[in-house]
Structure formats: structure tokens, C-alpha cells
Short mmCIF file of all heavy atoms in Angstrom, two decimals:
data_model
loop_
_atom_site.label_atom_id
_atom_site.label_comp_id
_atom_site.label_asym_id
_atom_site.label_seq_id
_atom_site.Cartn_x
_atom_site.Cartn_y
_atom_site.Cartn_z
N SER P 1 -4.84 0.45 14.02
CA SER P 1 -4.25 -0.73 14.68
C SER P 1 -3.51 -1.63 13.71
O SER P 1 -2.71 -2.46 14.12
CB SER P 1 -5.35 -1.55 15.35
OG SER P 1 -6.21 -2.11 14.37
N GLY P 2 -3.83 -1.47 12.43
CA GLY P 2 -3.25 -2.35 11.42
C GLY P 2 -4.06 -3.60 11.15
O GLY P 2 -3.71 -4.38 10.28
N ARG P 3 -5.15 -3.78 11.90
CA ARG P 3 -5.92 -5.02 11.76
C ARG P 3 -6.79 -5.05 10.52
O ARG P 3 -7.15 -6.13 10.04
CB ARG P 3 -6.77 -5.25 13.01
CG ARG P 3 -5.97 -5.71 14.22
CD ARG P 3 -6.90 -6.23 15.31
NE ARG P 3 -7.65 -5.15 15.92
CZ ARG P 3 -7.26 -4.50 17.01
NH1 ARG P 3 -6.12 -4.83 17.59
NH2 ARG P 3 -8.01 -3.54 17.52
N THR P 4 -7.15 -3.89 10.01
CA THR P 4 -8.04 -3.83 8.84
C THR P 4 -7.32 -3.15 7.70
O THR P 4 -6.74 -2.08 7.88
CB THR P 4 -9.32 -3.07 9.16
OG1 THR P 4 -10.00 -3.71 10.23
CG2 THR P 4 -10.23 -3.01 7.95
N THR P 5 -7.35 -3.79 6.54
CA THR P 5 -6.76 -3.21 5.34
C THR P 5 -7.77 -3.29 4.20
O THR P 5 -8.62 -4.19 4.17
CB THR P 5 -5.48 -3.95 4.93
OG1 THR P 5 -5.77 -5.33 4.70
CG2 THR P 5 -4.40 -3.83 6.00
N LYS P 6 -7.67 -2.37 3.29
CA LYS P 6 -8.53 -2.33 2.12
C LYS P 6 -7.68 -2.06 0.89
O LYS P 6 -6.67 -1.35 0.97
CB LYS P 6 -9.59 -1.22 2.26
CG LYS P 6 -10.52 -1.37 3.46
CD LYS P 6 -11.50 -2.50 3.27
CE LYS P 6 -12.49 -2.56 4.42
NZ LYS P 6 -13.42 -3.70 4.28
N TYR P 7 -8.13 -2.60 -0.23
CA TYR P 7 -7.44 -2.39 -1.50
C TYR P 7 -8.47 -2.21 -2.60
O TYR P 7 -9.51 -2.87 -2.60
CB TYR P 7 -6.57 -3.60 -1.86
CG TYR P 7 -5.53 -3.94 -0.83
CD1 TYR P 7 -5.81 -4.84 0.20
CD2 TYR P 7 -4.26 -3.37 -0.88
CE1 TYR P 7 -4.85 -5.15 1.15
CE2 TYR P 7 -3.30 -3.68 0.07
CZ TYR P 7 -3.60 -4.57 1.08
OH TYR P 7 -2.66 -4.88 2.02
N VAL P 8 -8.14 -1.39 -3.57
CA VAL P 8 -8.96 -1.34 -4.77
C VAL P 8 -8.58 -2.53 -5.64
O VAL P 8 -7.50 -3.11 -5.53
CB VAL P 8 -8.78 -0.01 -5.53
CG1 VAL P 8 -9.27 1.15 -4.68
CG2 VAL P 8 -7.34 0.19 -5.96
N ASP P 9 -9.50 -2.89 -6.53
CA ASP P 9 -9.31 -4.11 -7.31
C ASP P 9 -8.04 -4.07 -8.16
O ASP P 9 -7.41 -5.12 -8.38
CB ASP P 9 -10.52 -4.33 -8.22
CG ASP P 9 -11.74 -4.83 -7.45
OD1 ASP P 9 -11.57 -5.26 -6.29
OD2 ASP P 9 -12.84 -4.77 -8.01
N SER P 10 -7.67 -2.90 -8.64
CA SER P 10 -6.53 -2.81 -9.55
C SER P 10 -5.21 -3.18 -8.89
O SER P 10 -4.24 -3.50 -9.59
CB SER P 10 -6.44 -1.41 -10.17
OG SER P 10 -6.28 -0.44 -9.15
N VAL P 11 -5.14 -3.16 -7.57
CA VAL P 11 -3.88 -3.50 -6.89
C VAL P 11 -4.03 -4.70 -5.96
O VAL P 11 -3.04 -5.20 -5.43
CB VAL P 11 -3.33 -2.30 -6.08
CG1 VAL P 11 -3.20 -1.08 -6.97
CG2 VAL P 11 -4.19 -1.99 -4.86
N LYS P 12 -5.25 -5.18 -5.79
CA LYS P 12 -5.49 -6.30 -4.88
C LYS P 12 -4.71 -7.52 -5.32
O LYS P 12 -4.70 -7.86 -6.51
CB LYS P 12 -6.99 -6.60 -4.83
CG LYS P 12 -7.42 -7.44 -3.65
CD LYS P 12 -8.95 -7.56 -3.63
CE LYS P 12 -9.62 -6.24 -3.37
NZ LYS P 12 -11.10 -6.35 -3.29
N GLY P 13 -4.04 -8.16 -4.39
CA GLY P 13 -3.24 -9.33 -4.70
C GLY P 13 -1.83 -9.01 -5.12
O GLY P 13 -0.98 -9.90 -5.18
N ARG P 14 -1.56 -7.75 -5.42
CA ARG P 14 -0.21 -7.33 -5.82
C ARG P 14 0.44 -6.39 -4.80
O ARG P 14 1.65 -6.44 -4.61
CB ARG P 14 -0.26 -6.63 -7.18
CG ARG P 14 -0.81 -7.47 -8.30
CD ARG P 14 -0.65 -6.79 -9.65
NE ARG P 14 -1.37 -5.52 -9.73
CZ ARG P 14 -0.78 -4.35 -10.00
NH1 ARG P 14 0.51 -4.29 -10.21
NH2 ARG P 14 -1.52 -3.24 -10.07
N PHE P 15 -0.35 -5.56 -4.18
CA PHE P 15 0.15 -4.58 -3.22
C PHE P 15 -0.26 -5.00 -1.80
O PHE P 15 -1.33 -5.56 -1.59
CB PHE P 15 -0.43 -3.19 -3.49
CG PHE P 15 0.06 -2.54 -4.76
CD1 PHE P 15 0.81 -3.23 -5.70
CD2 PHE P 15 -0.25 -1.20 -5.01
CE1 PHE P 15 1.24 -2.62 -6.86
CE2 PHE P 15 0.18 -0.58 -6.16
CZ PHE P 15 0.92 -1.29 -7.09
N THR P 16 0.61 -4.69 -0.84
CA THR P 16 0.33 -4.95 0.56
C THR P 16 0.66 -3.73 1.39
O THR P 16 1.80 -3.24 1.35
CB THR P 16 1.13 -6.15 1.07
OG1 THR P 16 0.85 -7.31 0.27
CG2 THR P 16 0.77 -6.46 2.52
N ILE P 17 -0.33 -3.25 2.12
CA ILE P 17 -0.12 -2.11 3.03
C ILE P 17 0.15 -2.66 4.43
O ILE P 17 -0.45 -3.66 4.84
CB ILE P 17 -1.33 -1.15 3.02
CG1 ILE P 17 -1.01 0.14 3.75
CG2 ILE P 17 -2.57 -1.83 3.59
CD1 ILE P 17 -2.09 1.22 3.58
N SER P 18 1.05 -2.01 5.12
CA SER P 18 1.35 -2.40 6.50
C SER P 18 1.83 -1.17 7.26
O SER P 18 2.08 -0.13 6.66
CB SER P 18 2.41 -3.51 6.54
OG SER P 18 3.63 -3.07 5.98
N ARG P 19 1.93 -1.32 8.56
CA ARG P 19 2.40 -0.20 9.37
C ARG P 19 3.18 -0.71 10.56
O ARG P 19 2.93 -1.83 11.05
CB ARG P 19 1.22 0.66 9.82
CG ARG P 19 0.25 0.00 10.76
CD ARG P 19 -1.01 0.86 10.93
NE ARG P 19 -0.70 2.18 11.45
CZ ARG P 19 -1.51 3.25 11.32
NH1 ARG P 19 -2.67 3.13 10.69
NH2 ARG P 19 -1.15 4.41 11.83
N ASP P 20 4.11 0.11 10.98
CA ASP P 20 4.88 -0.15 12.20
C ASP P 20 4.73 1.10 13.06
O ASP P 20 5.46 2.08 12.86
CB ASP P 20 6.34 -0.44 11.85
CG ASP P 20 7.15 -0.86 13.07
OD1 ASP P 20 6.76 -0.52 14.20
OD2 ASP P 20 8.17 -1.52 12.89
N ASN P 21 3.80 1.07 13.96
CA ASN P 21 3.53 2.27 14.76
C ASN P 21 4.71 2.63 15.67
O ASN P 21 4.91 3.80 16.00
CB ASN P 21 2.26 2.08 15.58
CG ASN P 21 1.01 2.17 14.72
OD1 ASN P 21 1.02 2.73 13.63
ND2 ASN P 21 -0.09 1.60 15.20
N ALA P 22 5.49 1.64 16.04
CA ALA P 22 6.67 1.92 16.86
C ALA P 22 7.69 2.74 16.08
O ALA P 22 8.44 3.54 16.66
CB ALA P 22 7.29 0.62 17.35
N LYS P 23 7.73 2.54 14.76
CA LYS P 23 8.64 3.29 13.91
C LYS P 23 7.97 4.49 13.27
O LYS P 23 8.60 5.21 12.48
CB LYS P 23 9.22 2.38 12.83
CG LYS P 23 10.12 1.27 13.37
CD LYS P 23 10.72 0.45 12.23
CE LYS P 23 11.67 -0.61 12.79
NZ LYS P 23 12.27 -1.44 11.70
N ASN P 24 6.67 4.66 13.57
CA ASN P 24 5.92 5.80 13.01
C ASN P 24 5.98 5.81 11.48
O ASN P 24 6.14 6.86 10.86
CB ASN P 24 6.47 7.13 13.56
CG ASN P 24 5.38 8.10 13.95
OD1 ASN P 24 4.23 7.71 14.17
ND2 ASN P 24 5.73 9.36 14.02
N THR P 25 5.82 4.62 10.90
CA THR P 25 5.99 4.46 9.47
C THR P 25 4.93 3.52 8.91
O THR P 25 4.55 2.55 9.57
CB THR P 25 7.39 3.90 9.16
OG1 THR P 25 8.38 4.79 9.68
CG2 THR P 25 7.61 3.76 7.65
N VAL P 26 4.49 3.84 7.71
CA VAL P 26 3.56 3.00 6.97
C VAL P 26 4.25 2.58 5.67
O VAL P 26 5.03 3.36 5.10
CB VAL P 26 2.25 3.75 6.69
CG1 VAL P 26 1.31 2.92 5.83
CG2 VAL P 26 1.59 4.14 7.99
N TYR P 27 3.94 1.38 5.22
CA TYR P 27 4.60 0.84 4.04
C TYR P 27 3.58 0.44 2.98
O TYR P 27 2.42 0.16 3.28
CB TYR P 27 5.41 -0.40 4.43
CG TYR P 27 6.40 -0.16 5.53
CD1 TYR P 27 6.09 -0.46 6.86
CD2 TYR P 27 7.65 0.39 5.27
CE1 TYR P 27 7.00 -0.23 7.89
CE2 TYR P 27 8.56 0.62 6.28
CZ TYR P 27 8.23 0.31 7.59
OH TYR P 27 9.13 0.54 8.60
N LEU P 28 4.06 0.38 1.75
CA LEU P 28 3.28 -0.19 0.66
C LEU P 28 4.23 -1.07 -0.15
O LEU P 28 5.11 -0.55 -0.85
CB LEU P 28 2.65 0.88 -0.22
CG LEU P 28 1.72 0.35 -1.30
CD1 LEU P 28 0.45 -0.24 -0.67
CD2 LEU P 28 1.34 1.45 -2.30
N GLN P 29 4.09 -2.37 0.00
CA GLN P 29 4.87 -3.31 -0.80
C GLN P 29 4.14 -3.52 -2.11
O GLN P 29 2.97 -3.91 -2.12
CB GLN P 29 5.00 -4.64 -0.05
CG GLN P 29 5.74 -5.71 -0.83
CD GLN P 29 7.21 -5.37 -1.04
OE1 GLN P 29 7.89 -4.93 -0.13
NE2 GLN P 29 7.70 -5.60 -2.25
N MET P 30 4.83 -3.26 -3.20
CA MET P 30 4.23 -3.34 -4.52
C MET P 30 4.96 -4.41 -5.33
O MET P 30 6.16 -4.26 -5.60
CB MET P 30 4.31 -1.99 -5.23
CG MET P 30 3.70 -0.86 -4.42
SD MET P 30 3.60 0.69 -5.35
CE MET P 30 5.32 1.02 -5.65
N ASN P 31 4.26 -5.45 -5.67
CA ASN P 31 4.82 -6.54 -6.47
C ASN P 31 4.12 -6.62 -7.82
O ASN P 31 3.04 -6.04 -8.01
CB ASN P 31 4.65 -7.87 -5.72
CG ASN P 31 5.39 -7.90 -4.40
OD1 ASN P 31 6.44 -7.28 -4.24
ND2 ASN P 31 4.85 -8.63 -3.43
N SER P 32 4.72 -7.34 -8.73
CA SER P 32 4.13 -7.55 -10.05
C SER P 32 3.70 -6.22 -10.67
O SER P 32 2.59 -6.08 -11.19
CB SER P 32 2.93 -8.50 -9.96
OG SER P 32 3.32 -9.75 -9.41
N LEU P 33 4.58 -5.26 -10.63
CA LEU P 33 4.23 -3.92 -11.10
C LEU P 33 3.97 -3.92 -12.59
O LEU P 33 4.59 -4.66 -13.37
CB LEU P 33 5.35 -2.95 -10.73
CG LEU P 33 5.32 -2.52 -9.27
CD1 LEU P 33 6.67 -1.94 -8.86
CD2 LEU P 33 4.22 -1.51 -9.02
N LYS P 34 3.05 -3.06 -12.97
CA LYS P 34 2.62 -2.92 -14.36
C LYS P 34 2.87 -1.48 -14.81
O LYS P 34 2.89 -0.56 -13.98
CB LYS P 34 1.14 -3.24 -14.49
CG LYS P 34 0.74 -4.60 -13.97
CD LYS P 34 -0.78 -4.78 -14.03
CE LYS P 34 -1.21 -6.14 -13.49
NZ LYS P 34 -2.68 -6.32 -13.56
N PRO P 35 2.98 -1.26 -16.11
CA PRO P 35 3.15 0.13 -16.58
C PRO P 35 2.04 1.06 -16.11
O PRO P 35 2.30 2.23 -15.83
CB PRO P 35 3.13 -0.04 -18.10
CG PRO P 35 3.68 -1.41 -18.33
CD PRO P 35 3.14 -2.23 -17.19
N GLU P 36 0.84 0.54 -15.96
CA GLU P 36 -0.27 1.39 -15.50
C GLU P 36 -0.18 1.75 -14.02
O GLU P 36 -0.99 2.54 -13.53
CB GLU P 36 -1.62 0.72 -15.79
CG GLU P 36 -1.76 -0.70 -15.28
CD GLU P 36 -1.46 -1.73 -16.38
OE1 GLU P 36 -0.49 -1.54 -17.14
OE2 GLU P 36 -2.21 -2.74 -16.44
N ASP P 37 0.79 1.21 -13.31
CA ASP P 37 1.04 1.62 -11.93
C ASP P 37 1.91 2.87 -11.86
O ASP P 37 2.12 3.41 -10.77
CB ASP P 37 1.73 0.50 -11.14
CG ASP P 37 0.86 -0.72 -10.97
OD1 ASP P 37 -0.35 -0.57 -10.69
OD2 ASP P 37 1.39 -1.85 -11.12
N THR P 38 2.40 3.33 -13.00
CA THR P 38 3.23 4.53 -13.03
C THR P 38 2.43 5.73 -12.54
O THR P 38 1.35 6.03 -13.07
CB THR P 38 3.74 4.79 -14.46
OG1 THR P 38 4.61 3.71 -14.83
CG2 THR P 38 4.48 6.11 -14.54
N ALA P 39 2.95 6.39 -11.51
CA ALA P 39 2.25 7.52 -10.90
C ALA P 39 3.13 8.10 -9.80
O ALA P 39 4.16 7.51 -9.43
CB ALA P 39 0.92 7.06 -10.31
N VAL P 40 2.70 9.24 -9.29
CA VAL P 40 3.25 9.75 -8.04
C VAL P 40 2.39 9.18 -6.91
O VAL P 40 1.16 9.27 -6.95
CB VAL P 40 3.25 11.28 -8.00
CG1 VAL P 40 3.80 11.77 -6.66
CG2 VAL P 40 4.06 11.84 -9.15
N TYR P 41 3.05 8.60 -5.93
CA TYR P 41 2.36 7.95 -4.82
C TYR P 41 2.45 8.83 -3.57
O TYR P 41 3.53 9.31 -3.22
CB TYR P 41 2.97 6.57 -4.55
CG TYR P 41 2.55 5.54 -5.57
CD1 TYR P 41 3.01 5.61 -6.88
CD2 TYR P 41 1.67 4.52 -5.24
CE1 TYR P 41 2.61 4.68 -7.83
CE2 TYR P 41 1.27 3.58 -6.17
CZ TYR P 41 1.74 3.67 -7.48
OH TYR P 41 1.33 2.74 -8.42
N PHE P 42 1.31 8.98 -2.92
CA PHE P 42 1.20 9.84 -1.75
C PHE P 42 0.65 9.04 -0.57
O PHE P 42 -0.20 8.16 -0.76
CB PHE P 42 0.23 10.99 -2.00
CG PHE P 42 0.59 11.89 -3.14
CD1 PHE P 42 0.18 11.59 -4.44
CD2 PHE P 42 1.32 13.06 -2.93
CE1 PHE P 42 0.49 12.42 -5.50
CE2 PHE P 42 1.64 13.90 -3.98
CZ PHE P 42 1.23 13.58 -5.27
N CYS P 43 1.08 9.39 0.63
CA CYS P 43 0.43 8.83 1.81
C CYS P 43 -0.40 9.91 2.49
O CYS P 43 -0.12 11.11 2.38
CB CYS P 43 1.44 8.24 2.79
SG CYS P 43 2.64 9.39 3.47
N LEU P 44 -1.44 9.45 3.15
CA LEU P 44 -2.36 10.33 3.85
C LEU P 44 -2.60 9.80 5.25
O LEU P 44 -2.86 8.60 5.42
CB LEU P 44 -3.70 10.39 3.11
CG LEU P 44 -4.86 11.02 3.86
CD1 LEU P 44 -4.62 12.50 4.09
CD2 LEU P 44 -6.18 10.80 3.11
N ALA P 45 -2.51 10.66 6.22
CA ALA P 45 -2.90 10.34 7.60
C ALA P 45 -4.25 11.01 7.85
O ALA P 45 -4.39 12.22 7.62
CB ALA P 45 -1.86 10.84 8.58
N GLY P 46 -5.22 10.23 8.25
CA GLY P 46 -6.53 10.81 8.44
C GLY P 46 -7.42 9.94 9.30
O GLY P 46 -6.95 9.13 10.08
#
């Protein structure tokens, strides 16, 4: 539904997850990026 979100501590306060079910899309807004955020990012539907 989008009503509940969870974050690990390393991204809390910097990243925001959201979804638009009408567009069949999920987003991850990433702010204040750090070198340790360097990675391949994957989404999972489950």
C-alpha cells in the first residue's frame, strides 16, 4: 500500500522509498550520497 516503509540505519534519513502503483513503479530517492553507497542497486518484488 505504501503506508509502511523500513530503512537500515546506514541509509536512514538520506534515502526515501516510495511507490506509484498506478505507474507500476517503485522509487528510491537517494540524497547526501557517500562513497560507501557505491554499489549495484536491485529492486525486489516479494
Side-chain angles (χ1 to χ4, degrees):
S1 67
R3 286 193 289 267
T4 301
T5 58
K6 300 288 184 183
Y7 302 91
V8 297
D9 286 345
S10 60
V11 306
K12 197 174 294 182
R14 300 188 298 122
F15 291 9
T16 303
I17 190 171
S18 62
R19 65 191 301 159
D20 186 336
N21 286 339
K23 294 183 177 180
N24 223 20
T25 301
V26 176
Y27 305 97
L28 185 68
Q29 177 67 44
M30 305 188 297
N31 298 329
S32 302
L33 282 162
K34 305 175 181 180
E36 52 263 42
D37 295 318
T38 295
V40 179
Y41 284 70
F42 301 87
C43 61
L44 167 67

